[in-house]
Amino acid sequence: MKVGFIGLGTMGASMAANLQTYLLKSNHGLVVYDVNRQAGDAHVAKGATFAESPKALAEQCDVIFASLPGPPEVEAVALDKDGLLAGMKKGAAFFDLSTNSPTLVRKIHALFAEKGLHMLDAPVSGGPNGARSGKLALWIGGEERVYNEHKAFLDAIGDQARYVGPIGAGSVAKLVHNCAGYCINTALAEVFSMGIKGGVEPLALWEAVRGGARGRGRTFDGMVDQFLPGKYEPAQFALKLAHKDMRLATELGRELGVPMRVANMAYAEMTEAMNRGWEKKDSRSPMQLQLERVGLELKVDPQRIKEALERDPPAKGDPKRS
Ligand code: NAD
């Protein structure tokens, strides 16, 4: 069996190298391609073949991975006349490891399906270090059977390959993850600028808040008590008290002349929730306002949440969950 890998950049070079180690042990061959031919030198030195085009690579391979900058490059590699669609063997599978547009991956998936080819989106999370060490999450969207058949290759690339749902689901999960990260960064820059202007030494401030409830839990763990099950009563922490905290924080910002766009927006959401009469509900109840705006109601079964936490437990030092 031959495996193809296209795009040997910061992430792809290491992922292909780890895949190659596995392929060498299991007697499979590796074929690589990159617009920059030198990017494949290390893999060729270990026995890989360099293909002349994505089409030429596809003609030889049963499964193909790609780690490309973004939608235009993936579209070109997949659909151009010298691309994968023109060369892939019937029944072969293409895993797109790039961070890509869900709409584009669904389009490629549909065009591939017409020719009896499989396409799965499989974006990764873990950065260049994770790509090197193999401590990498892969979020897969597409046909579950094809995912299961190729799981060994995915496990050679990362330690947390997970099937998320139909085609596009992996890309949606990746965008949710990265968007959450950058929104959190925006909020952190804002509140730390307020704290430092408020006279606290940056490292002392960071060490202090890192030991708090938020600091000790995993980023997304706070969603399991209220947001996912849609249960805001009884309150763990009443909205009325949280609203007071945010009033104090935004007042401090005003006193210090610190612009606090994110905090004032969060405070406005909390005020709107107070005006709904939710002051005795949990402080996360304003999250329902956004769900209302998009016409969503969440009611994830608490038993399923419990099982998910058992599969992947909260941080050890999280005071809320230990
Ligand atoms: P990169 O720019 O370092 O690597 C891209 C590689 O693709 C390069 O070697 C380039 O020569 C090659 N390439 C570009 N166009 C091509 C084409 N048409 N045909 C063949 N090869 C082509 O990018 P990266 O940081 O390795 O990221 C790759 C993907 O992984 C991106 O979608 C990125 O968003 C995602 N990602 C990156 C990180 C990170 O921390 N770098 C983390 C997670 C996900």
Side-chain angles (χ1 to χ4, degrees):
M1 189 161 176
K2 274 195 181 167
V3 178
F5 203 108
I6 300 178
L8 305 161
T10 309
M11 298 294 290
S14 300
M15 291 192 282
N18 287 334
L19 183 60
Q20 189 170 24
T21 305
Y22 166 77
L23 296 174
L24 285 169
K25 277 192 232 149
S26 45
N27 279 328
H28 299 311
L30 179 68
V31 186
V32 294
Y33 175 76
D34 192 294
V35 278
N36 167 19
R37 199 180 179 110
Q38 285 172 343
D41 284 354
H43 311 85
V44 170
K46 284 193 178 160
T49 317
F50 194 96
E52 289 309 315
S53 68
K55 182 182 174 206
L57 176 143
E59 282 164 350
Q60 304 172 54
C61 295
D62 306 282
V63 51
I64 298 157
F65 296 89
S67 174
L68 295 160
E73 293 82 6
V74 178
E75 187 161 24
V77 161
L79 305 179
D80 273 5
K81 71 172 180 4
D82 247 354
L84 300 178
L85 186 63
M88 267 167 83
K89 302 189 237 176
K90 201 158 187 244
F94 167 45
F95 288 81
D96 179 17
L97 305 164
S98 326
T99 302
N100 202 347
S101 142
T103 307
L104 177 63
V105 300
R106 288 177 185 138
K107 175 182 153 185
I108 298 173
H109 174 268
L111 292 170
F112 273 39
E114 280 172 17
K115 285 189 124 191
L117 310 171
H118 302 293
M119 195 267 180
L120 297 93
D121 53 330
V124 306
S125 181
N129 280 339
R132 252 191 310 275
S133 65
K135 285 208 171 67
L136 206 62
L138 290 90
W139 296 319
I140 288 87
E143 249 184 280
E144 193 166 9
R145 178 186 60 80
V146 182
Y147 161 78
N148 286 328
E149 281 170 11
H150 297 87
K151 181 75 170 23
F153 298 124
L154 300 167
D155 289 342
I157 294 173
D159 63 342
Q160 284 202 34
R162 172 183 294 276
Y163 180 75
V164 186
I167 186 70
S171 303
V172 172
K174 172 71 183 172
L175 297 181
V176 166
H177 175 273
N178 282 26
C179 189
Y182 290 108
C183 291
I184 292 167
N185 282 351
T186 307
L188 290 178
E190 186 175 292
V191 295
F192 270 71
S193 72
M194 184 260 275
I196 296 160
K197 266 218 152 187
V200 186
E201 195 275 322
L203 187 63
L205 177 62
W206 178 76
E207 286 192 276
V209 298
R210 191 163 173 248
R214 283 275 159 198
R216 291 211 260 176
R218 287 171 60 175
T219 308
F220 295 98
D221 283 7
M223 300 174 77
V224 301
D225 299 320
Q226 292 88 18
F227 187 77
L228 287 178
K231 186 174 176 294
Y232 298 88
E233 285 168 305
Q236 275 184 359
F237 181 51
L239 174 60
K240 190 178 176 183
L241 295 177
H243 188 259
K244 174 259 308 178
D245 292 358
M246 279 298 272
R247 178 171 53 74
L248 293 173
T250 48
E251 275 173 7
L252 180 60
R254 271 189 282 283
E255 275 169 35
L256 296 166
V258 175
M260 298 191 68
R261 296 172 176 82
V262 178
N264 280 300
M265 201 156 65
Y267 183 57
E269 286 282 279
M270 294 165 87
T271 305
E272 191 174 327
M274 290 282 281
N275 291 339
R276 296 278 187 108
W278 296 352
E279 60 178 49
K280 291 204 179 80
K281 285 198 188 190
D282 192 81
S283 59
R284 290 78 167 180
S285 57
M287 294 169 91
Q288 291 174 107
L289 295 171
Q290 174 66 10
L291 294 181
E292 231 181 75
R293 287 191 283 267
V294 294
L296 271 179
E297 201 180 334
L298 278 189
K299 284 257 174 274
V300 179
D301 177 1
Q303 181 58 29
R304 286 183 60 216
I305 297 175
K306 189 168 165 264
E307 287 164 13
L309 284 173
E310 281 164 6
R311 282 195 295 273
D312 187 6
K316 273 211 183 87
D318 184 349
K320 279 184 162 178
R321 262 160 266 283
S322 50

